[in-house]
Amino acid sequence: MKHTIDTRCVHGGREDFATLGVHAPPIDLSTTYPVADLAVGTASFDALVAGEASAANPIYARLHNPTVARVEQAIAQLEGAEACVAFGSGMAALTALLMASRPSGSHMLAVRPIYGTSDHLLKSGLTGLDCEFVRADEIAQRIRPDTALVLIETPANPTLDLVDIAAVVRAAGTVPVVVDSSFATPILQNPLAFGARYVLHSATKFLGGHGDVIAGVIACAETDAKPLRTMRAATGALLHPLAAYLLHRGLSTLALRVERAQRNAIELASRLQRHAAVRCVYFPGHGTVRNDALLKTQMRGPGALMALDLHGGHAAAATVMRAVRLITPAVSLGSVDTLIQHPAGLTHRVLDDAARRECGITAGMLRLSVGIESVEDLWADLSQALDAATAGSRLPEAA
Ligand SMILES: *Cc1c(COP(=O)(O)O)cnc(C)c1O
């Protein structure tokens, strides 16, 4: 019987517990495993280096770890994927995917905006792929015989722009599409169902959910997972089993956390829109983000991230960052607690001015990641911080 996603959050990756006679995921910290039977050891080594998900003997922790394998299993189930491969960070996951795509060509396409460091990595050419940034509606005409990959992020970081996954998949033809779905989580969106070949998550964010794990995952078909495991084993971009344990523990409350944080975000977005300091709230469903209508067809809810553009520009944004008391002024997102940060000054600092303008990232923009606190406590803190910004921006006129 196929369980609902809420049940899968709680029970996924725990299939071997009855056999093991345990109730919580065992943490296997072994770096090496005894090879008493050399024939079995050799066959296992060959299988794992070739990217098989498991073997009779794990051999060495860079090739396989059962604690990591369990959380991969759980996330694969949440994305409706055959497989999932976990890495030491979201950036390690993206790097492995780019490097693994290299045999299909040296060109790739990406639609901005994307996470600042992803933008930086793609632009750097470090992975051997020459990335061309295009609009979603230009993809079909920009695909070349040597295009190895198309990357999109939806909702996009930090503007919450939505990108039509199915349309991008159609435009890309036979070229694989990867969707960074970190903002949506598997609770609100399953990109593979729209034809994407890979879904990538910075598991550091909602999947871990408590601000204490750095991790990245890619969910995909088993045939596509093999080269990623080979890449991980070769480059050592591992997820440590202790981090895998915390990630697995965080997953069990994912549906609850996303539901509650989203409920808070919906309420805050409508109140923020009416605050005098706020020029615009970018939040799916408010008619302010690109392709807003996709919220209804591609997602199961708007999520818990929003961007605010303040009338007072950079100074007002800096005032809010300084004035918040309950909310933490910090980068990252998707934690149980609410975070606010300034994309132009922090996460998207690495973009040049033209790219930031093209992405709609203004000096007065703040990105808010709403947590699971009481919405009234959050509003009290936000509104006093915004009041301070309003007062600040009026000072020059008063003077
Ligand atoms: C944070 C983030 C990443 C990078 O993930 P790390 O775990 O920090 O390496 C990639 N994409 C998005 C959308 C992110 O928010």
Side-chain angles (χ1 to χ4, degrees), residues 204 208-214 246:
T204 311
H210 296 75
D212 53 8
V213 179
I214 293 232
L246 287 173

Side-chain angles (χ1 to χ4, degrees), residues 277-298:
V278 178
R279 190 186 68 77
C280 185
V281 176
Y282 297 98
F283 186 60
H286 279 229
T288 49
V289 303
R290 197 174 294 169
N291 301 314
D292 196 52
L294 289 169
L295 170 62
K296 294 235 160 51
T297 55
Q298 188 167 280

Side-chain angles (χ1 to χ4, degrees), residues 90-91 94 111 113-122 151 153 156-158 180 182-183 202 205 331-333 341 347-348 350-351 367:
M91 293 315 301
L94 179 58
V111 178
I114 54 176
Y115 179 65
T117 307
S118 304
D119 195 295
H120 183 63
L121 178 68
L122 296 185
L151 179 135
E153 198 173 291
N157 190 345
D180 184 331
S182 301
F183 272 32
S202 168
K205 313 297 166 53
V331 299
S332 199
L333 57 104
Q341 68 101 10
T347 54
H348 291 71
V350 289
L351 275 69
R367 190 191 69 194

